[in-house]
Structure formats: structure tokens, C-alpha cells
Amino acid sequence: LRFFMDLSGNKDLLDRELVAFFASPNSPPEAFAIAIRWAYEISKTDKVVISGFHSPLEKEVLRILLEVKHPVVIALGRKLYKRIPQEYIDALNEGRMLILNVCTALRQNWWTAQYRNYVIADYAEECYFVGIHQGSSLDVLYDIRQCKSRKLEELAIYGKTF
């Protein structure tokens, strides 16, 4: 499942080690602290973070990664942006960002978001999940990709590094 409709930015980022980040749109407050810590720790590595960066927590992680100038791949469950968001311009110009879409829908919906998440998980060598709830679509994805998935809450509890 290595097919994208459109790409904008540094395509070479796909050749580097990719780690996926998934967060529930309803992540509890304690998940924010764990994810923020993860964002700063992952930014000290050569790994490229791939995500939809759609939920509030995912957006916060993206803000941190852009602030520290860490490379990211943004996967959209819709068509590419007609106008690139201003906060992405520097990262794109500096080769630290790739924006890709996995379908041509005008707007993201539940189905396109699910497809996007499965493409992200397939592409990544590791997947990190935070704030997911039992029975949610992210929980199902976690179970399917369990061999390469980690729940950040569990790593934080046991004091393991990310």
C-alpha cells in the first residue's frame, strides 16, 4: 500500500525511517503531557514523524516538531491544500516537510481518515498511539499493527524511552 495521489515538499523524507503518531481527538489531559514529552524526545533522533496531524493533540505535536525544526510528513485524508498553511512554508522551503494525500476527496470524512491512518501505519516502521479508547477506530488499528505499535501511556508508566 505505497500509493499516494499527490506529493508536495521533500519526497526524500519517505526514504528515511518513519515513525507514525496517532492521538485520539478525545485524548485525556494526561495524554497531552506524555505526547509533548514524546515530541521533544523524538525530535532528538533522525526519525521522521508521519501523521495526519488532525486531532488537537496531533496538531500540538506538529507545532512542537515544526518549532524545533524536525522533519515531518503530513498525510491528508483529502485533496492537497489549494493554499499551503502559512505555518508550513518555512519547513517546506527548508526541506523538512512533505505533504501527501491518499485520496482525492474534497473534504476529509470518517472513511478517508481511516484509510489515511492505515496508509500511515503501513508506511511507518513504528507506530505510537496515545489517548486511544477501547473499541475506537485507533484501537482497532493498534491491534492490527501491534507488532510495531506502542502506546505512549504504557511506555511512560514503565519509564521507557521512546
Side-chain angles (χ1 to χ4, degrees):
L1 195 65
R2 309 271 179 178
F3 176 74
F4 303 114
M5 296 295 191
D6 291 304
L7 303 164
S8 178
N10 185 354
K11 297 164 188 63
D12 292 336
L13 293 176
L14 294 176
D15 296 328
R16 294 176 51 189
E17 184 178 353
L18 296 172
V19 296
F21 178 75
F22 298 101
S24 168
N26 304 313
S27 294
E30 58 272 13
F32 275 76
I34 293 168
I36 288 168
R37 180 174 152 229
W38 177 84
Y40 283 113
E41 288 192 24
I42 205 75
S43 73
K44 296 173 187 171
T45 71
D46 291 334
K47 298 175 181 181
V48 176
V49 179
I50 182 171
S51 179
F53 296 111
H54 193 76
S55 74
L57 184 47
E58 291 169 348
K59 288 178 183 178
E60 180 61 16
V61 165
L62 175 60
R63 186 194 65 73
I64 291 166
L65 295 173
L66 291 176
E67 181 181 283
V68 299
K69 300 186 181 294
H70 193 74
V72 296
V73 176
I74 299 174
L76 302 174
R78 53 171 288 239
K79 290 178 75 168
L80 282 182
Y81 300 111
K82 287 183 181 179
R83 282 190 300 172
I84 302 294
Q86 187 62 38
E87 61 269 23
Y88 299 170
I89 300 297
D90 286 344
L92 282 167
N93 289 339
E94 294 168 8
R96 296 182 286 111
M97 180 181 282
L98 174 66
I99 303 170
L100 57 87
N101 70 324
V102 298
C103 64
T104 58
L106 293 176
R107 296 184 191 273
Q108 180 172 288
N109 59 48
W110 188 87
W111 294 106
T112 62
Q114 298 316 302
Y115 180 65
R116 176 207 61 210
N117 288 345
Y118 279 81
V119 170
I120 290 169
D122 182 61
Y123 222 83
E125 293 182 36
E126 296 175 282
C127 299
Y128 291 92
F129 293 80
V130 67
I132 61 175
H133 307 286
Q134 188 172 6
S136 70
S137 57
L138 285 178
D139 187 45
V140 172
L141 178 59
Y142 172 81
D143 287 341
I144 291 171
R145 300 286 190 227
Q146 196 165 20
C147 63
K148 63 179 183 178
S149 297
R150 306 288 179 265
K151 290 184 180 176
L152 290 182
E153 292 93 340
E154 292 172 2
L155 293 175
I157 288 169
Y158 298 111
K160 295 182 181 178
T161 59
F162 307 118

